[in-house]
Amino acid sequence: MSADTSGDITVARILYSYVFSSSGVVSVIFLLTAAWQTGSIDHSVFLLGCMALGLAVSAVLVAKLENSEWRKELRREAEEQKRKMGVTYEDECRAAANMYLGQPPEPVAKKGEKKDKKADQKSKNKKDEKKKDK
């Protein structure tokens, strides 16, 4: 693995994003209301425990998969194709917000290249100035 692990996807991050997503909240509310209506708390606690265990195991597997080198390389290639088409990260965020989706993952730096947001912003500002001059 690379020395820079700040962009790695962690199990806690995956669990947090699911538990506080709309589908996660609805699932828990559904189980709790079903338990309340049937009066069978033992059965529902067992189901909730199984759901939590399954969620934890799947989060570990997803984190391993997402942090693998071939997956990072695949994301780099996809970002390169997006750049060739002229799609920026801000465009992706705007599109996700318009479709009521979650925010897209942050861009992955190329191999041997560190992310420098200030340099990216300066180059974007220069491009904007050139467009205004034309």
Side-chain angles (χ1 to χ4, degrees):
M1 295 210 117
S2 63
D4 180 27
T5 58
S6 61
D8 283 355
I9 296 173
T10 62
V11 174
R13 202 162 132 189
I14 294 170
L15 289 173
Y16 180 83
S17 66
Y18 177 75
V19 169
F20 292 105
S21 70
S22 57
S23 60
V25 171
V26 168
S27 298
V28 171
I29 290 173
F30 177 73
L31 281 174
L32 293 176
T33 55
W36 184 262
Q37 287 178 350
T38 61
S40 171
I41 301 294
D42 296 340
H43 183 69
S44 298
V45 168
F46 176 73
L47 287 177
L48 194 60
C50 288
M51 184 177 124
L53 180 65
L55 186 61
V57 169
S58 63
V60 169
L61 295 175
V62 166
K64 281 184 165 245
L65 178 71
E66 287 294 324
N67 292 326
S68 66
E69 194 59 40
W70 71 268
R71 182 70 174 112
K72 288 180 182 180
E73 186 61 35
L74 184 63
R75 280 196 298 263
R76 282 187 201 101
E77 290 173 9
E79 288 171 15
E80 188 176 312
Q81 289 176 351
K82 288 177 193 173
R83 270 189 245 120
K84 286 179 184 176
M85 292 188 302
V87 178
T88 64
Y89 179 69
E90 289 79 20
D91 293 337
E92 289 181 31
C93 292
R94 197 174 309 114
N98 289 337
M99 294 184 282
Y100 302 104
L101 299 174
Q103 291 297 314
E106 291 184 22
V108 179
K110 292 181 183 177
K111 276 190 175 178
E113 178 184 296
K114 292 184 179 179
K115 283 194 267 186
D116 188 7
K117 291 183 180 182
K118 289 182 182 177
D120 289 342
Q121 187 63 31
K122 286 180 184 178
S123 66
K124 184 179 178 186
N125 289 341
K126 287 181 183 179
K127 287 179 184 177
D128 290 341
E129 287 175 9
K130 287 180 183 179
K131 286 181 181 178
K132 288 179 184 177
D133 291 340
K134 291 180 181 180

